[in-house]
Amino acid sequence: MPSVFTHAAVPLALYCASRRGRISARLLCAGIIAAVLPDADVLAFALHIPYADAFGHRGASHSLLFCAVLAALALALHRPLRAGPAQAAGFVFACALSHPLLDALTSGGLGVALGWPWSDARLFAPWRPIRVSPFANGFFSARGLQTVLSELRWVWLPLALAVLGWRLIHSRSPAGSRTP
């Protein structure tokens, strides 16, 4: 898995790329929670649930169904999130989906159960440049530093460049000069 900090990168990038005020602070927080929440499944280790189990690490909580459930929750809570129904559901779904997609790009683990409950297959992306993050006890180690550098290179830098490019294009377009 990428580190918990890097799972927050996609919601933060979407927020930074949007026009000021388009994504409320509450919706941003919901997006960050949705992007990080799938890794709550590490509690399965403490409950002696095997890694490869449907409810083990990178299992059900890394599925499209889980993303849809979080999106439905955001839809129901769109008013407190200070967003329209479609915006709340779409933003939270995209943020939640970024988690298993980033995990599928890592160099380790068993893959992600994106199709659960319809499929027990664990999937990886064909290209896996992101170093898998060590768990908490190994995070502050040489391997943890290598992971952070890998995440900076393959996640944070491309997202920052995409946001800057988007903002540059948007600021030069006639519609970009309007305020919300």
Side-chain angles (χ1 to χ4, degrees), residues 9-10 12-14 16-17 151-168:
V10 170
L12 290 169
L14 291 171
C16 290
E151 292 172 357
L152 288 171
R153 178 180 182 187
W154 296 110
V155 181
W156 289 96
L157 180 61
L159 284 174
L161 292 174
V163 166
L164 289 173
W166 177 260
R167 300 286 297 195
L168 181 65

PDB file of all heavy atoms in Angstrom, residues 9-10 12-14 16-17 151-168:
ATOM      1  N   ALA A   9      -3.502  12.127  -1.275  1.00  0.00           N
ATOM      2  CA  ALA A   9      -3.025  12.976  -2.375  1.00  0.00           C
ATOM      3  C   ALA A   9      -4.095  13.244  -3.427  1.00  0.00           C
ATOM      4  O   ALA A   9      -4.204  14.366  -3.936  1.00  0.00           O
ATOM      5  CB  ALA A   9      -1.790  12.353  -3.027  1.00  0.00           C
ATOM      6  N   VAL A  10      -4.883  12.244  -3.775  1.00  0.00           N
ATOM      7  CA  VAL A  10      -5.880  12.434  -4.837  1.00  0.00           C
ATOM      8  C   VAL A  10      -6.964  13.428  -4.414  1.00  0.00           C
ATOM      9  O   VAL A  10      -7.253  14.366  -5.156  1.00  0.00           O
ATOM     10  CB  VAL A  10      -6.457  11.084  -5.311  1.00  0.00           C
ATOM     11  CG1 VAL A  10      -7.647  11.285  -6.232  1.00  0.00           C
ATOM     12  CG2 VAL A  10      -5.362  10.275  -6.017  1.00  0.00           C
ATOM     13  N   LEU A  12      -6.732  15.781  -2.257  1.00  0.00           N
ATOM     14  CA  LEU A  12      -6.081  17.090  -2.172  1.00  0.00           C
ATOM     15  C   LEU A  12      -5.814  17.670  -3.563  1.00  0.00           C
ATOM     16  O   LEU A  12      -6.010  18.868  -3.785  1.00  0.00           O
ATOM     17  CB  LEU A  12      -4.775  16.982  -1.383  1.00  0.00           C
ATOM     18  CG  LEU A  12      -4.946  16.716   0.113  1.00  0.00           C
ATOM     19  CD1 LEU A  12      -3.610  16.368   0.753  1.00  0.00           C
ATOM     20  CD2 LEU A  12      -5.587  17.901   0.803  1.00  0.00           C
ATOM     21  N   ALA A  13      -5.419  16.823  -4.499  1.00  0.00           N
ATOM     22  CA  ALA A  13      -5.172  17.296  -5.868  1.00  0.00           C
ATOM     23  C   ALA A  13      -6.471  17.753  -6.523  1.00  0.00           C
ATOM     24  O   ALA A  13      -6.497  18.796  -7.198  1.00  0.00           O
ATOM     25  CB  ALA A  13      -4.521  16.189  -6.691  1.00  0.00           C
ATOM     26  N   LEU A  14      -7.543  16.996  -6.332  1.00  0.00           N
ATOM     27  CA  LEU A  14      -8.832  17.406  -6.894  1.00  0.00           C
ATOM     28  C   LEU A  14      -9.291  18.736  -6.305  1.00  0.00           C
ATOM     29  O   LEU A  14      -9.812  19.597  -7.019  1.00  0.00           O
ATOM     30  CB  LEU A  14      -9.884  16.318  -6.658  1.00  0.00           C
ATOM     31  CG  LEU A  14      -9.683  15.020  -7.436  1.00  0.00           C
ATOM     32  CD1 LEU A  14     -10.655  13.952  -6.956  1.00  0.00           C
ATOM     33  CD2 LEU A  14      -9.823  15.252  -8.936  1.00  0.00           C
ATOM     34  N   CYS A  16      -7.307  21.094  -5.050  1.00  0.00           N
ATOM     35  CA  CYS A  16      -6.426  22.158  -5.555  1.00  0.00           C
ATOM     36  C   CYS A  16      -6.705  22.502  -7.015  1.00  0.00           C
ATOM     37  O   CYS A  16      -6.513  23.639  -7.438  1.00  0.00           O
ATOM     38  CB  CYS A  16      -4.961  21.764  -5.388  1.00  0.00           C
ATOM     39  SG  CYS A  16      -4.428  21.731  -3.667  1.00  0.00           S
ATOM     40  N   ALA A  17      -7.155  21.514  -7.783  1.00  0.00           N
ATOM     41  CA  ALA A  17      -7.442  21.755  -9.194  1.00  0.00           C
ATOM     42  C   ALA A  17      -8.779  22.451  -9.403  1.00  0.00           C
ATOM     43  O   ALA A  17      -9.006  23.061 -10.449  1.00  0.00           O
ATOM     44  CB  ALA A  17      -7.420  20.435  -9.968  1.00  0.00           C
ATOM     45  N   GLU A 151       6.792   7.306  -3.565  1.00  0.00           N
ATOM     46  CA  GLU A 151       5.480   7.969  -3.620  1.00  0.00           C
ATOM     47  C   GLU A 151       5.606   9.400  -4.124  1.00  0.00           C
ATOM     48  O   GLU A 151       4.747   9.866  -4.879  1.00  0.00           O
ATOM     49  CB  GLU A 151       4.822   7.934  -2.249  1.00  0.00           C
ATOM     50  CG  GLU A 151       4.420   6.542  -1.824  1.00  0.00           C
ATOM     51  CD  GLU A 151       3.939   6.469  -0.387  1.00  0.00           C
ATOM     52  OE1 GLU A 151       3.969   7.499   0.318  1.00  0.00           O
ATOM     53  OE2 GLU A 151       3.518   5.382   0.029  1.00  0.00           O
ATOM     54  N   LEU A 152       6.652  10.092  -3.704  1.00  0.00           N
ATOM     55  CA  LEU A 152       6.871  11.455  -4.201  1.00  0.00           C
ATOM     56  C   LEU A 152       7.047  11.446  -5.715  1.00  0.00           C
ATOM     57  O   LEU A 152       6.481  12.280  -6.423  1.00  0.00           O
ATOM     58  CB  LEU A 152       8.083  12.096  -3.521  1.00  0.00           C
ATOM     59  CG  LEU A 152       7.897  12.500  -2.062  1.00  0.00           C
ATOM     60  CD1 LEU A 152       9.236  12.919  -1.448  1.00  0.00           C
ATOM     61  CD2 LEU A 152       6.881  13.628  -1.942  1.00  0.00           C
ATOM     62  N   ARG A 153       7.815  10.480  -6.199  1.00  0.00           N
ATOM     63  CA  ARG A 153       8.114  10.391  -7.632  1.00  0.00           C
ATOM     64  C   ARG A 153       6.899   9.967  -8.454  1.00  0.00           C
ATOM     65  O   ARG A 153       6.657  10.519  -9.525  1.00  0.00           O
ATOM     66  CB  ARG A 153       9.258   9.410  -7.853  1.00  0.00           C
ATOM     67  CG  ARG A 153       9.603   9.210  -9.296  1.00  0.00           C
ATOM     68  CD  ARG A 153      10.727   8.226  -9.458  1.00  0.00           C
ATOM     69  NE  ARG A 153      11.062   8.083 -10.859  1.00  0.00           N
ATOM     70  CZ  ARG A 153      11.901   7.198 -11.321  1.00  0.00           C
ATOM     71  NH1 ARG A 153      12.532   6.387 -10.483  1.00  0.00           N
ATOM     72  NH2 ARG A 153      12.144   7.113 -12.604  1.00  0.00           N
ATOM     73  N   TRP A 154       6.165   8.964  -7.994  1.00  0.00           N
ATOM     74  CA  TRP A 154       5.134   8.354  -8.823  1.00  0.00           C
ATOM     75  C   TRP A 154       3.713   8.819  -8.522  1.00  0.00           C
ATOM     76  O   TRP A 154       2.801   8.536  -9.296  1.00  0.00           O
ATOM     77  CB  TRP A 154       5.204   6.830  -8.716  1.00  0.00           C
ATOM     78  CG  TRP A 154       6.486   6.299  -9.254  1.00  0.00           C
ATOM     79  CD1 TRP A 154       7.496   5.737  -8.526  1.00  0.00           C
ATOM     80  CD2 TRP A 154       6.925   6.298 -10.611  1.00  0.00           C
ATOM     81  NE1 TRP A 154       8.529   5.388  -9.359  1.00  0.00           N
ATOM     82  CE2 TRP A 154       8.206   5.726 -10.646  1.00  0.00           C
ATOM     83  CE3 TRP A 154       6.354   6.741 -11.805  1.00  0.00           C
ATOM     84  CZ2 TRP A 154       8.931   5.571 -11.818  1.00  0.00           C
ATOM     85  CZ3 TRP A 154       7.082   6.588 -12.983  1.00  0.00           C
ATOM     86  CH2 TRP A 154       8.341   6.000 -12.981  1.00  0.00           C
ATOM     87  N   VAL A 155       3.508   9.532  -7.412  1.00  0.00           N
ATOM     88  CA  VAL A 155       2.152   9.994  -7.075  1.00  0.00           C
ATOM     89  C   VAL A 155       2.127  11.509  -6.904  1.00  0.00           C
ATOM     90  O   VAL A 155       1.434  12.216  -7.635  1.00  0.00           O
ATOM     91  CB  VAL A 155       1.598   9.291  -5.809  1.00  0.00           C
ATOM     92  CG1 VAL A 155       0.186   9.773  -5.504  1.00  0.00           C
ATOM     93  CG2 VAL A 155       1.621   7.770  -5.973  1.00  0.00           C
ATOM     94  N   TRP A 156       2.849  12.023  -5.918  1.00  0.00           N
ATOM     95  CA  TRP A 156       2.778  13.450  -5.590  1.00  0.00           C
ATOM     96  C   TRP A 156       3.259  14.342  -6.730  1.00  0.00           C
ATOM     97  O   TRP A 156       2.573  15.318  -7.077  1.00  0.00           O
ATOM     98  CB  TRP A 156       3.569  13.745  -4.310  1.00  0.00           C
ATOM     99  CG  TRP A 156       2.902  13.207  -3.090  1.00  0.00           C
ATOM    100  CD1 TRP A 156       3.163  12.019  -2.469  1.00  0.00           C
ATOM    101  CD2 TRP A 156       1.845  13.820  -2.348  1.00  0.00           C
ATOM    102  NE1 TRP A 156       2.332  11.860  -1.385  1.00  0.00           N
ATOM    103  CE2 TRP A 156       1.524  12.940  -1.281  1.00  0.00           C
ATOM    104  CE3 TRP A 156       1.147  15.013  -2.465  1.00  0.00           C
ATOM    105  CZ2 TRP A 156       0.530  13.238  -0.346  1.00  0.00           C
ATOM    106  CZ3 TRP A 156       0.159  15.304  -1.538  1.00  0.00           C
ATOM    107  CH2 TRP A 156      -0.141  14.418  -0.497  1.00  0.00           C
ATOM    108  N   LEU A 157       4.405  14.034  -7.322  1.00  0.00           N
ATOM    109  CA  LEU A 157       4.923  14.876  -8.405  1.00  0.00           C
ATOM    110  C   LEU A 157       3.990  14.872  -9.623  1.00  0.00           C
ATOM    111  O   LEU A 157       3.635  15.954 -10.118  1.00  0.00           O
ATOM    112  CB  LEU A 157       6.347  14.455  -8.786  1.00  0.00           C
ATOM    113  CG  LEU A 157       7.000  15.263  -9.909  1.00  0.00           C
ATOM    114  CD1 LEU A 157       7.112  16.738  -9.519  1.00  0.00           C
ATOM    115  CD2 LEU A 157       8.374  14.682 -10.248  1.00  0.00           C
ATOM    116  N   PRO A 158       3.546  13.705 -10.112  1.00  0.00           N
ATOM    117  CA  PRO A 158       2.615  13.750 -11.250  1.00  0.00           C
ATOM    118  C   PRO A 158       1.301  14.472 -10.926  1.00  0.00           C
ATOM    119  O   PRO A 158       0.783  15.210 -11.776  1.00  0.00           O
ATOM    120  CB  PRO A 158       2.348  12.268 -11.557  1.00  0.00           C
ATOM    121  CG  PRO A 158       3.530  11.548 -11.006  1.00  0.00           C
ATOM    122  CD  PRO A 158       3.974  12.336  -9.814  1.00  0.00           C
ATOM    123  N   LEU A 159       0.777  14.281  -9.719  1.00  0.00           N
ATOM    124  CA  LEU A 159      -0.449  14.996  -9.356  1.00  0.00           C
ATOM    125  C   LEU A 159      -0.215  16.502  -9.277  1.00  0.00           C
ATOM    126  O   LEU A 159      -1.045  17.291  -9.738  1.00  0.00           O
ATOM    127  CB  LEU A 159      -1.010  14.477  -8.028  1.00  0.00           C
ATOM    128  CG  LEU A 159      -1.730  13.130  -8.084  1.00  0.00           C
ATOM    129  CD1 LEU A 159      -2.093  12.667  -6.673  1.00  0.00           C
ATOM    130  CD2 LEU A 159      -2.969  13.198  -8.958  1.00  0.00           C
ATOM    131  N   ALA A 160       0.910  16.907  -8.705  1.00  0.00           N
ATOM    132  CA  ALA A 160       1.218  18.339  -8.619  1.00  0.00           C
ATOM    133  C   ALA A 160       1.362  18.948 -10.017  1.00  0.00           C
ATOM    134  O   ALA A 160       0.835  20.039 -10.281  1.00  0.00           O
ATOM    135  CB  ALA A 160       2.491  18.557  -7.806  1.00  0.00           C
ATOM    136  N   LEU A 161       2.036  18.237 -10.910  1.00  0.00           N
ATOM    137  CA  LEU A 161       2.185  18.732 -12.282  1.00  0.00           C
ATOM    138  C   LEU A 161       0.835  18.783 -12.990  1.00  0.00           C
ATOM    139  O   LEU A 161       0.556  19.735 -13.729  1.00  0.00           O
ATOM    140  CB  LEU A 161       3.180  17.866 -13.058  1.00  0.00           C
ATOM    141  CG  LEU A 161       4.632  17.960 -12.591  1.00  0.00           C
ATOM    142  CD1 LEU A 161       5.495  16.940 -13.331  1.00  0.00           C
ATOM    143  CD2 LEU A 161       5.171  19.372 -12.775  1.00  0.00           C
ATOM    144  N   ALA A 162      -0.006  17.785 -12.762  1.00  0.00           N
ATOM    145  CA  ALA A 162      -1.343  17.783 -13.374  1.00  0.00           C
ATOM    146  C   ALA A 162      -2.180  18.953 -12.865  1.00  0.00           C
ATOM    147  O   ALA A 162      -2.854  19.628 -13.644  1.00  0.00           O
ATOM    148  CB  ALA A 162      -2.051  16.455 -13.094  1.00  0.00           C
ATOM    149  N   VAL A 163      -2.117  19.202 -11.558  1.00  0.00           N
ATOM    150  CA  VAL A 163      -2.869  20.325 -10.983  1.00  0.00           C
ATOM    151  C   VAL A 163      -2.348  21.645 -11.542  1.00  0.00           C
ATOM    152  O   VAL A 163      -3.138  22.506 -11.955  1.00  0.00           O
ATOM    153  CB  VAL A 163      -2.794  20.309  -9.438  1.00  0.00           C
ATOM    154  CG1 VAL A 163      -3.272  21.635  -8.858  1.00  0.00           C
ATOM    155  CG2 VAL A 163      -3.601  19.159  -8.879  1.00  0.00           C
ATOM    156  N   LEU A 164      -1.033  21.821 -11.578  1.00  0.00           N
ATOM    157  CA  LEU A 164      -0.462  23.060 -12.117  1.00  0.00           C
ATOM    158  C   LEU A 164      -0.837  23.247 -13.580  1.00  0.00           C
ATOM    159  O   LEU A 164      -1.204  24.344 -13.999  1.00  0.00           O
ATOM    160  CB  LEU A 164       1.054  23.069 -11.937  1.00  0.00           C
ATOM    161  CG  LEU A 164       1.544  23.237 -10.504  1.00  0.00           C
ATOM    162  CD1 LEU A 164       3.056  23.054 -10.435  1.00  0.00           C
ATOM    163  CD2 LEU A 164       1.142  24.586  -9.946  1.00  0.00           C
ATOM    164  N   GLY A 165      -0.761  22.181 -14.361  1.00  0.00           N
ATOM    165  CA  GLY A 165      -1.143  22.259 -15.765  1.00  0.00           C
ATOM    166  C   GLY A 165      -2.605  22.607 -15.927  1.00  0.00           C
ATOM    167  O   GLY A 165      -2.976  23.462 -16.752  1.00  0.00           O
ATOM    168  N   TRP A 166      -3.455  21.955 -15.134  1.00  0.00           N
ATOM    169  CA  TRP A 166      -4.894  22.229 -15.182  1.00  0.00           C
ATOM    170  C   TRP A 166      -5.179  23.681 -14.825  1.00  0.00           C
ATOM    171  O   TRP A 166      -5.949  24.358 -15.490  1.00  0.00           O
ATOM    172  CB  TRP A 166      -5.621  21.277 -14.239  1.00  0.00           C
ATOM    173  CG  TRP A 166      -7.094  21.527 -14.173  1.00  0.00           C
ATOM    174  CD1 TRP A 166      -7.767  22.195 -13.209  1.00  0.00           C
ATOM    175  CD2 TRP A 166      -8.067  21.108 -15.124  1.00  0.00           C
ATOM    176  NE1 TRP A 166      -9.116  22.219 -13.485  1.00  0.00           N
ATOM    177  CE2 TRP A 166      -9.328  21.555 -14.665  1.00  0.00           C
ATOM    178  CE3 TRP A 166      -8.003  20.393 -16.324  1.00  0.00           C
ATOM    179  CZ2 TRP A 166     -10.499  21.319 -15.358  1.00  0.00           C
ATOM    180  CZ3 TRP A 166      -9.183  20.153 -17.012  1.00  0.00           C
ATOM    181  CH2 TRP A 166     -10.410  20.620 -16.534  1.00  0.00           C
ATOM    182  N   ARG A 167      -4.547  24.147 -13.759  1.00  0.00           N
ATOM    183  CA  ARG A 167      -4.761  25.534 -13.323  1.00  0.00           C
ATOM    184  C   ARG A 167      -4.263  26.526 -14.382  1.00  0.00           C
ATOM    185  O   ARG A 167      -4.898  27.550 -14.613  1.00  0.00           O
ATOM    186  CB  ARG A 167      -4.063  25.797 -11.983  1.00  0.00           C
ATOM    187  CG  ARG A 167      -4.524  24.927 -10.822  1.00  0.00           C
ATOM    188  CD  ARG A 167      -5.835  25.292 -10.285  1.00  0.00           C
ATOM    189  NE  ARG A 167      -5.802  26.627  -9.726  1.00  0.00           N
ATOM    190  CZ  ARG A 167      -6.728  27.118  -8.941  1.00  0.00           C
ATOM    191  NH1 ARG A 167      -7.741  26.372  -8.593  1.00  0.00           N
ATOM    192  NH2 ARG A 167      -6.651  28.335  -8.496  1.00  0.00           N
ATOM    193  N   LEU A 168      -3.138  26.208 -15.000  1.00  0.00           N
ATOM    194  CA  LEU A 168      -2.592  27.082 -16.036  1.00  0.00           C
ATOM    195  C   LEU A 168      -3.533  27.144 -17.237  1.00  0.00           C
ATOM    196  O   LEU A 168      -3.857  28.231 -17.729  1.00  0.00           O
ATOM    197  CB  LEU A 168      -1.208  26.593 -16.469  1.00  0.00           C
ATOM    198  CG  LEU A 168      -0.512  27.422 -17.535  1.00  0.00           C
ATOM    199  CD1 LEU A 168      -0.201  28.823 -16.993  1.00  0.00           C
ATOM    200  CD2 LEU A 168       0.767  26.738 -17.983  1.00  0.00           C
TER     201      LEU A 168
END
